[in-house]
Amino acid sequence: MRRAHVIAVATALVVTASPAIAAPSDGHVRVDGIGYAVGESKTAYFLSGATGNASFEVLNQKGSSVLRGKAGASLGGWNQRFTSVRPLDLSAVDKPGRYRVRVAGVTSPEFSIGSAEDVFRPWIDKTVEFFQTQRDGADVVPGAFDRKPSHLADRKATVYETPEFDDQNRPTTVLKPVGGPVDVEGGWFDAGDFLKFTHATSYSLASLQYLQRELKKPHAGLNAEINHGLRWLDKAWDSASKTLYIQVGIGPGNEDLGFKGDHDVWRLPQDDDALNVKPGDEKYYVKHRPVFRITAPISPNLAGRVAASFALGAQYNARQNPLLAKKYLDEAASILANAQTENVDPEKLVTALPRAFYPESSWMDDMELGAAELAAAGRALKDPRAGEWATAATKWAKRYIDSGETDTLNLYNTSALAHASLVRLLRNGSVRKAEVTERDLTEHLKKQLQSGVDSAAKSPFRTAASVTSFDAAPRSFGFASTAQLYRSLTGDRAFEAFGTRQRGFALGANAWGVSLVVGAGDFSRCVHHQVANIQGDLNGGKKVLVGAVINGPNKAGLLGDLGEFGDMRPCQRDMKAFDGAGSEFLDDTRSWATSETAIDFTSTAMLTFGLTSLR
């Protein structure tokens, strides 16, 4: 239950530890749990307390050695026990197959080497499977967890005035209805809870559709999820009243005020429909979920990314369904035209309620993305406004670059996608009065990547993402995706190895040896996800949340005492021996700060897998 969430405590639960991992020996080999493409650089790490020289060998499935080498010099210590992290260069192994690495009698998990398409395209399928699990409304995919239709009351939802929130993210007043009913049924759950956010949905949709446009072979499952997401987003924007519905549901409720919210109950989503409640009952807002809105002028971060999602939908449907494409184009144009672009306070951008859930401060990148995708859609549909949108995209790109920002792809920053799309517009002659050049855009992507390289140089695992802040996994995948985008635009492979290392970190080449993608390598067993916890197999098994991406390591002690949670099936494994550098990773269902899943995490990972499959 994301970001700054404070989770309310329900019925007491005695938590019993599930089987812990074996006590750590002197050394551990950490590898990418999926593997590597032929021709890629391939780096593993040896985590150890030893100080002497170390040799390694790579073994094939028959147990034969195919490569021998020496571990590189230590890149630094991790904690008091593991004082050495040494890189292992496996790049010379390029024959397709399954392999393990052995160092000082310690053997790594198995990993693959193969063509980029063979190794990574299957992970598009797996991440799509997670989005299927996240579906809300009547149109669900049963899948491994036997999903049922849920939150059908969202078809006639009441709109409420935006409340104030306290420091525990609870509303401080009784909710006041101001409109409705509105139909906001469908869409995707945002994370391990059942809230729905326009902010995260539009980011995820833009990422999925960008990949859809890049793929050489159609992907039916991906297309179905995109269509599902677009149908809900179409409900979220009312062009007639210039209203954007930004959220369905409330996080914590307020016990003092007599009502519960989504975060106060651990349950299956269909259970909410079965509630027999009336106004004033404590679970009324659990079944009859409040909807929150903003009206024009629309916060520009939301306007840009929602417009981009509609415009990408227009591009895809331009030939096969021109009427639908025109509808999406008009939706995109409508919301972008109603963006607030004057006197914008970056600290007051609208994301979610409370804003602490998603404290975004970047918006010109979203406007660039929205305008660039509208220009591409206008070009496909022969709309005379295409040139105007293209020129606007260059204006926002210049303003964004001039701001000095170098963050790269993640929920809070879409500039990498925006720059890549705008470069293509410049190349095909769509822009007449450009305020930036191709070089400006690619050089800015280079700065983003170099910023990551500089950060990674301080980490013994060469990770650019902070392990003491939120979003280690999606930021790692964001760097990996940006490296692929940069290479495809420029042909420059200077950041290819960097991008591969970031992907590897998220897939198991980290201190804990845990993959932050469920189903890949030695993955997290105790994800913070209600459906998976109640309906799935704990500590591994067949019924796990395949394809889901979790947050990953975070600041040590962030959550303090995890407390007690009602109706949650206990699941945890002890990984404390590997905590270090001010961070910890709790593979514990209670630990939303490390083990919660999210659609934006997973869409960014899917983009990495898809772009890598095309290399």
Side-chain angles (χ1 to χ4, degrees):
M1 298 175 181
R2 301 285 300 284
R3 305 296 192 267
H5 294 200
V6 176
I7 305 174
V9 177
T11 309
L13 171 71
V14 177
V15 178
T16 57
S18 57
I21 58 173
S25 64
D26 182 62
H28 298 266
V29 183
R30 304 311 197 195
V31 298
D32 185 313
I34 291 178
Y36 310 88
V38 170
E40 277 191 321
S41 66
K42 308 172 185 70
T43 304
Y45 299 92
F46 183 52
L47 176 68
S48 169
T51 57
N53 294 327
S55 298
F56 71 89
E57 61 180 341
V58 180
L59 308 174
N60 63 19
Q61 280 189 297
K62 296 179 180 180
S64 300
S65 178
V66 299
L67 177 68
R68 288 186 172 88
K70 290 186 177 181
S74 175
L75 301 175
W78 182 249
N79 59 24
Q80 290 184 341
R81 179 166 191 160
F82 298 111
T83 56
S84 173
V85 179
R86 304 183 194 186
L88 310 174
D89 187 357
L90 317 179
S91 301
V93 183
D94 238 11
K95 182 178 179 180
R98 302 282 295 173
Y99 298 92
R100 294 179 184 270
V101 182
R102 185 164 61 197
V103 185
V106 179
T107 304
S108 76
E110 195 174 55
F111 60 90
S112 291
I113 293 177
S115 72
E117 183 173 10
D118 287 345
V119 174
F120 293 104
R121 188 176 172 95
W123 285 91
I124 302 176
D125 299 334
K126 296 179 190 299
T127 45
V128 162
E129 188 174 330
F130 170 71
F131 274 88
Q132 292 172 339
T133 303
Q134 294 299 101
R135 284 195 185 195
D136 195 20
D139 186 14
V140 298
V141 177
F145 301 105
D146 192 27
R147 283 294 324 283
K148 305 292 186 185
S150 56
H151 299 122
L152 302 184
D154 287 352
R155 290 170 173 166
K156 295 181 179 180
T158 300
V159 182
Y160 291 83
E161 185 176 274
T162 300
E164 297 294 327
F165 295 89
D166 63 19
D167 58 4
Q168 296 185 57
N169 299 322
R170 302 177 307 176
T172 58
T173 59
V174 174
L175 300 184
K176 178 182 178 181
V178 292
V182 294
D183 179 6
V184 287
E185 176 263 347
W188 297 304
F189 306 137
D190 172 61
D193 52 29
F194 303 136
L195 300 179
K196 297 186 291 197
F197 297 117
T198 304
H199 183 254
T201 292
S202 55
Y203 169 83
S204 299
L205 261 176
S207 300
L208 266 57
Q209 290 187 95
Y210 189 98
L211 174 59
Q212 177 194 52
R213 189 173 64 189
E214 296 298 299
L215 290 176
K216 298 174 183 177
K217 299 177 182 178
H219 193 291
L222 175 58
N223 291 346
E225 289 313 299
I226 289 169
N227 289 335
H228 182 80
L230 281 170
R231 283 193 293 271
W232 184 80
L233 198 65
D234 189 38
K235 296 178 179 182
W237 172 241
D238 183 345
S239 58
S241 65
K242 306 297 184 289
T243 299
L244 182 65
Y245 299 109
I246 62 169
Q247 181 171 324
V248 181
I250 193 79
N254 189 318
E255 184 178 356
D256 294 337
L257 296 175
F259 64 90
K260 291 182 180 293
D262 181 275
H263 293 179
D264 301 319
V265 188
W266 193 265
R267 79 285 189 198
L268 293 174
Q270 63 265 28
D271 294 348
D272 295 350
D273 292 297
L275 292 172
N276 183 15
V277 291
K278 62 183 184 299
D281 290 348
E282 67 170 5
K283 289 188 178 180
Y284 182 78
Y285 296 132
V286 175
K287 177 174 183 176
H288 299 284
R289 306 196 298 174
V291 176
F292 302 101
R293 68 181 180 182
I294 54 174
T295 54
I298 305 298
S299 190
N301 57 315
L302 281 172
R305 62 182 57 194
V306 173
S309 292
F310 283 135
L312 282 158
Q315 292 169 45
Y316 181 75
N317 287 284
R319 290 186 178 181
Q320 60 193 35
N321 191 340
L323 288 178
L324 181 60
K326 181 63 165 58
K327 171 183 171 62
Y328 286 150
L329 177 73
D330 291 341
E331 296 275 60
S334 172
I335 194 165
L336 198 71
N338 282 280
Q340 178 185 356
T341 58
E342 299 294 333
N343 302 315
V344 178
D345 183 347
E347 301 306 313
K348 293 184 179 180
L349 295 176
V350 177
T351 55
L353 301 175
R355 188 174 182 276
F357 285 179
Y358 296 109
E360 181 179 29
S361 60
S362 178
W363 63 276
M364 287 178 282
D365 53 315
D366 294 308
M367 290 296 294
E368 177 192 350
L369 180 64
E373 299 304 351
L374 256 172
R379 183 180 173 91
L381 292 167
K382 297 181 172 52
D383 190 294
R385 296 170 291 178
E388 174 187 335
W389 290 320
T391 300
T394 68
K395 177 187 77 172
W396 293 118
K398 185 178 189 311
R399 287 185 60 180
Y400 179 75
I401 292 171
D402 289 347
S403 74
E405 177 65 65
T406 57
D407 193 13
T408 196
L409 185 64
N410 65 89
L411 176 65
Y412 304 108
N413 195 292
T414 60
S415 62
L417 295 181
H419 288 358
S421 290
L422 186 50
V423 165
R424 294 186 173 107
L425 289 173
L426 290 167
R427 287 177 178 174
N428 66 27
S430 296
V431 191
R432 293 181 181 176
K433 297 180 180 180
E435 296 188 28
V436 291
T437 65
E438 290 180 36
R439 182 176 176 82
D440 292 332
L441 297 167
T442 56
E443 282 297 307
H444 192 252
L445 289 176
K446 186 176 181 179
K447 284 184 179 180
Q448 294 180 12
L449 292 166
Q450 187 59 51
S451 175
V453 170
D454 294 344
S455 295
K458 304 171 187 176
S459 164
F461 287 95
R462 294 299 187 255
T463 175
S466 171
V467 293
T468 59
S469 300
F470 284 96
D471 301 348
R475 286 185 179 276
S476 295
F477 283 121
F479 278 116
S481 291
T482 303
Q484 292 291 342
L485 291 170
Y486 177 76
R487 179 193 170 187
S488 69
L489 292 171
T490 66
D492 184 358
R493 302 178 64 152
F495 297 100
E496 189 173 52
F498 164 76
T500 301
R501 287 193 294 269
Q502 305 319 299
R503 186 191 74 217
F505 176 84
L507 292 169
N510 55 55
W512 302 267
V514 66
S515 169
L516 308 179
V517 180
V518 176
D522 182 14
F523 56 89
S524 171
R525 301 300 200 258
C526 304
V527 297
H528 183 94
H529 188 278
Q530 295 181 78
V531 172
N533 176 259
I534 296 171
Q535 296 281 81
D537 296 333
L538 305 184
N539 301 303
K542 293 182 179 179
K543 290 176 62 176
V544 295
L545 197 60
V546 172
V549 178
I550 61 172
N551 182 81
N554 214 324
K555 184 178 181 180
L558 180 68
L559 292 180
D561 182 2
L562 291 176
E564 301 170 340
F565 292 76
D567 299 325
M568 180 187 288
R569 296 167 66 198
C571 180
Q572 60 187 132
R573 58 173 174 168
D574 182 7
M575 308 194 81
K576 291 184 183 297
F578 303 108
D579 294 341
S583 69
E584 66 181 352
F585 175 72
L586 300 177
D587 194 7
D588 188 319
T589 303
R590 298 170 298 170
S591 179
W592 57 266
T594 60
S595 65
E596 186 169 17
T597 64
I599 58 173
D600 63 282
F601 296 174
T602 307
S603 64
T604 310
M606 186 195 298
L607 186 63
T608 294
F609 298 143
L611 294 177
T612 305
S613 76
L614 298 173
R615 66 182 297 278

